Structure formats: C-alpha cells, structure tokens
Amino acid sequence: MNIKNILVPTDFSPCSKNAVRIAVDLSKKLGAKIHLINAIHVPTPHMDIGGQAMIEPMLEEYEEEVDKKFDALDEEIPGLKDVKHDHRAYVSFTIDAIYTAMETKKIDMIVMGTKGSHDTLEKLLGGVSSEVIRIADVPVLVVPEAIKKFNPKKIVFAADFNKIESIGRLSPLKDIAELFEAEITIVNVTEDDKFPFSRLVESFKVDKFLKNIKHSFETTKNDDVRAGLFEFAEKNSADMIVMMPRKHSLFEKIFKSSVTKKVAMGVKVPLLTFHE
C-alpha cells in the first residue's frame, strides 16, 4: 500500500485525538508520515476602523496556543513521538486548509474523526467530512470515536456494479485488505430484484481483481440504500465499510448534503471512501 503521507485535521476534541491515534497505528504499519493541521477562520477586518490592529494580536495568541496543543499531543497520544509527523496551524476555513495541505504535502490518505453526538456529527460529517469526501482524490478514512484500534478483519464494500471505468481504482480496497489480512464482502443493495447482465459482467471484473483475497458477493434488497447498507454491515459484524462515491450511481445520493448527516450517524465502524 503506497501511502507515505497521512493528513489528520484536528480541533483537539476527543474524537479528533482518536483519529490521531488511528493514524499512528497506520503510520507504523505503512511507514508513513503524519501531517496534523488545525484551522481557524478569522473574518477580514475593515481597515478603516483599525480592525487589522485588533486582529493581529488575536492571531499571534491563536498560533501560540495551538502550538502548545500540538506539543501536548506528543505526550498524550501513545506512539506519536515514535513516528514521523509535523503540524501546522492555518488561518482559513477548515476545508481550505485541508485542500492546501493535500496539495503541498502530497497527501495519500486523510484520516478524520467523528463523535456520536448529533450536534458534532451534523457539524463535522454533515459539512467538512462530506466536502472532503467530495473533493479528495485520495482515500478518506472516517473513524468513530468509539473505535480505539484500527484492525479491520471483515470489510463490507458497497458496490452498485454499474460500469467501472478502471478496475485499478479499487486498489485502496485491495491494499487495505491485504495489509490487515481481511475478508471482503461485496454487497449490492438493490431497490428491486433485478440484476442486469451488465452488472454481472462488472462483478466478474471485481472477482478477478480480488482473486488473491478472500471475498464473497451478497445482494440485499432495501428501498433505502443507506439503511440497507448499514443493516447489512451490522448484521454481518463488519469492522469497516468501504464506499466508492460515483456520479450517476445509486450511491451518489448518499453523499448529497441532505442525507450525509444520516449516513454519518449510521456509521458505527470506520468508513473508507475513495473515488473511481
């Protein structure tokens, strides 16, 4: 798995610190460097009322305070001192900071944390994480706060079996299964009992691509794709759910802002997403 740089956005909350812990575990397995970032947005002051003079001391205080918090993570997070890592504070919107870091740090994976409370999920997964999933051209791993150790052995991969332009885009799924010696269940959530021949052809491609990994195919019927997916994952004791958001697919609607919060609240295990 060719991951050398892992990005972890943090606001120093318990759930984001947990994401750092998971990133440390991944870093040790992959030999990857961790890049920690924090962001704060400060509205542009009106120059004619001395706004700039008021803002500059606030920014200096912010940078000093956030540096202390980053330093404290070295003591608080087991193993963080033992892996390569750096940190940076951004004065910008969080999504802009993530995008900048992705471009300048050659990021290969993003790890983000989520908490179980409605307000936090609505704020984090309903906004920043869904936007990160949308713009990131690298895998995004969203980790619930309750998950203290990342060691997936049973992976559920949500597949619609519409035409896959490049089967190689499934490499993150294959790589992580190999890394953790995990078993993959490829599940197709359908709104009816139809399974066109074209989808059968695509399933053969997936089967061939995963030939060296223990895997199986399942179909479950549910009018609500999101509900069907999470019910299946829970019933089959999945350790992780993997999704590949695609345009013009059944799963595209899962990542629309109107339902992303529902998806996030349904996640009880890590969620890995990557684009086709």
Side-chain angles (χ1 to χ4, degrees):
M1 196 171 187
N2 191 28
I3 291 179
K4 299 301 180 184
N5 293 284
I6 300 173
L7 177 65
V8 187
T10 178
D11 59 2
F12 306 105
S13 63
C15 65
S16 66
K17 288 179 181 179
N18 188 59
V20 177
R21 293 187 185 96
I22 299 302
V24 168
D25 290 343
L26 282 169
S27 174
K28 290 179 177 179
K29 273 187 168 288
L30 299 167
K33 183 175 181 179
I34 297 174
H35 302 273
L36 304 169
I37 65 169
N38 176 265
I40 183 173
H41 172 64
V42 178
T44 303
H46 293 286
M47 301 302 293
D48 58 344
I49 59 173
Q52 187 66 33
M54 296 173 60
I55 290 296
E56 287 181 356
M58 293 173 57
L59 293 180
E60 290 178 3
E61 183 178 350
Y62 157 68
E63 291 177 357
E64 290 177 2
E65 183 64 25
V66 81
D67 278 340
K68 291 178 182 178
K69 290 183 177 180
F70 275 128
D71 290 339
L73 286 181
D74 284 343
E75 304 299 328
E76 185 176 350
I77 306 297
L80 182 57
K81 286 182 177 180
D82 302 326
V83 299
K84 293 180 180 179
H85 68 283
D86 60 21
H87 64 260
R88 181 173 175 180
Y90 287 85
V91 180
S92 70
F93 288 110
T94 302
I95 191 65
D96 293 332
I98 292 172
Y99 185 81
T100 299
M102 283 173 52
E103 294 296 306
T104 59
K105 301 291 186 178
K106 298 181 179 179
I107 298 301
D108 303 303
M109 174 180 275
I110 300 172
V111 178
M112 304 185 72
T114 177
K115 189 178 178 181
S117 71
H118 177 78
D119 289 343
T120 302
L121 281 172
E122 184 171 353
K123 180 180 179 182
L124 180 61
L125 270 296
V128 175
S129 286
S130 61
E131 183 67 8
V132 172
I133 288 170
R134 186 184 70 81
I135 69 168
D137 57 2
V138 298
V140 178
L141 178 65
V142 180
V143 185
E145 186 179 353
I147 302 298
K148 302 303 181 183
K149 185 177 181 181
F150 185 68
N151 186 30
K153 295 299 182 183
K154 291 185 177 181
I155 298 173
V156 167
F157 173 51
D160 57 12
F161 292 119
N162 287 329
K163 184 174 177 59
I164 301 173
E165 296 298 333
S166 174
I167 196 67
R169 293 297 293 172
L170 295 182
S171 290
L173 170 66
K174 182 178 181 180
D175 291 346
I176 207 159
E178 289 178 337
L179 184 66
F180 290 94
E181 299 180 345
E183 175 183 353
I184 302 172
T185 300
I186 301 99
V187 60
N188 179 222
V189 184
T190 64
E191 296 175 325
D192 52 46
D193 294 321
K194 297 178 181 179
F195 197 83
F197 179 74
S198 59
R199 294 188 182 182
L200 188 61
V201 172
E202 296 304 309
S203 70
F204 285 142
K205 290 182 183 179
V206 175
D207 184 52
K208 183 178 180 180
F209 184 72
L210 298 175
K211 63 180 180 180
N212 296 322
I213 297 171
K214 187 176 181 180
H215 65 279
S216 59
F217 292 84
E218 298 284 350
T219 300
T220 182
K221 183 179 178 182
N222 199 307
D223 293 335
D224 184 330
V225 176
R226 176 190 60 84
L229 173 61
F230 290 117
E231 285 174 6
F232 181 89
E234 186 171 4
K235 182 179 179 181
N236 289 271
S237 302
D239 299 313
M240 183 171 72
I241 296 172
V242 178
M243 302 182 70
M244 185 171 65
R246 306 169 63 181
K247 291 183 178 180
H248 313 301
S249 78
L250 198 57
F251 293 103
E252 182 185 25
K253 62 185 178 182
I254 290 181
F255 287 90
K256 289 181 179 178
S257 59
S258 60
V259 295
T260 301
K261 293 177 226 177
K262 295 180 181 179
V263 173
M265 294 181 71
V267 175
K268 297 180 181 179
V269 296
L271 170 67
L272 177 70
T273 69
F274 54 87
H275 290 275
E276 183 179 15

